[in-house]
Amino acid sequence: SAFETAPTQSRVRVDLIDVRLKTVRATTEHQHLRYNPLRDTWVLVSAHRMKRPWSGQVEKEEEDQVPQHDPNNPLCPGNTRANGEVNPDYNNTFVFENDFPALQPNAPDPGYNQHPLFQSKAARGVCKVMCFHPWSDVTLPLMTLPDIIKVIDKWAELMVDLGSTYPWVQIFENKGAMMGCSNPHPHCQVWASNFLPNEATLSDRCQREYLKTHGEPLLLQYAKMEAEKQERVVVQNADWLAVVPYWATWPFQTLLLPRRHVQRLTNLTAQEREGLASIMKRLLTKYDNLFQISFPYSMGWHGAPTGPYLKEDQFHWQLHAHYYPPLLRSAGVRKFMVGYEMLAQEQRDLTPEQVIHLGNSITATYAIYKHRSSSV
């Protein structure tokens, strides 16, 4: 199924996607635009650009041999962090206040400025770090299902805690040095703010307008249609669906959706949390298998706003998670969002359907860290 690849004795360093595309029939070779209803924007799809030779930057592969416990790693159990605090000897998840937070609860108000070109307002919040596991040499796809469920349960717990006060609670994971992650220990961050961030505000507006126009939540209808079409589905189970969205910008971007109308992580049933753990493990294993590396990405959850919004009608919202991996052609070649993407609009170099066909053309299943994951 999609994203799986056959085992090899060594990592493939050639342009894997170029090789595979020769055996894949593209949905269309002609450039076209696709509409992203979640952001009210258009994406330029230029599938033919994958034929061009690549002589640009090649990323250095990350070090494979991460120790299970590093006495100098501030995220490991029992170690001392930069602020002098000592971590407990935790054996599953561990949450602490970020030692260098981007948001603080008692930041002063910058004051009100009347001129429309020089506006500012108060930004307050809290930033937390959440470790997934006590071992540094594992990632989510290498963890057991019970351990992944503990991560999901802790996410929901933090949503209840922080969401009781703050309008927005952003859970996100940056995985890999390519995504700016400076520590290999498995962890994510949770930022809660007294304001709705730009992406949340935009998504809220788009989902609200879609419900008003079409009578059904946008992503609930979208999940039903993708499940029927089966054209862009990566993995699925009874409660969840992971797709390469029709409007994807990043080459191997995926969207994780519940099949039931669910507005927040806190609304998931025990069965849905188990199903989520299973589909996350499968999806992330497929990512790792694609280029036979620990696949880098930024991911995050979007759900209905919290805090004062808990008392308001949020029927238009549907819970979902975004996965944004940067890689394009191989483990060392990434997609750069520069030039046209920064100054004009988003552009991608292969269609979502090509991504699915690339994965479906490889039938073998193989986990690059299989020998390690068996002991986790």
Side-chain angles (χ1 to χ4, degrees), residues 360-372:
N360 285 337
S361 66
I362 308 297
T363 58
T365 61
Y366 178 73
I368 59 169
Y369 297 125
K370 188 175 182 180
H371 60 289
R372 283 165 49 190

Side-chain angles (χ1 to χ4, degrees), residues 298-320:
S298 281
M299 71 80 62
W301 285 99
H302 281 179
T306 51
Y309 296 94
L310 291 170
K311 299 178 181 179
E312 299 182 7
D313 180 14
Q314 301 294 320
F315 188 81
H316 56 288
W317 267 93
Q318 174 74 332
L319 176 70
H320 57 285

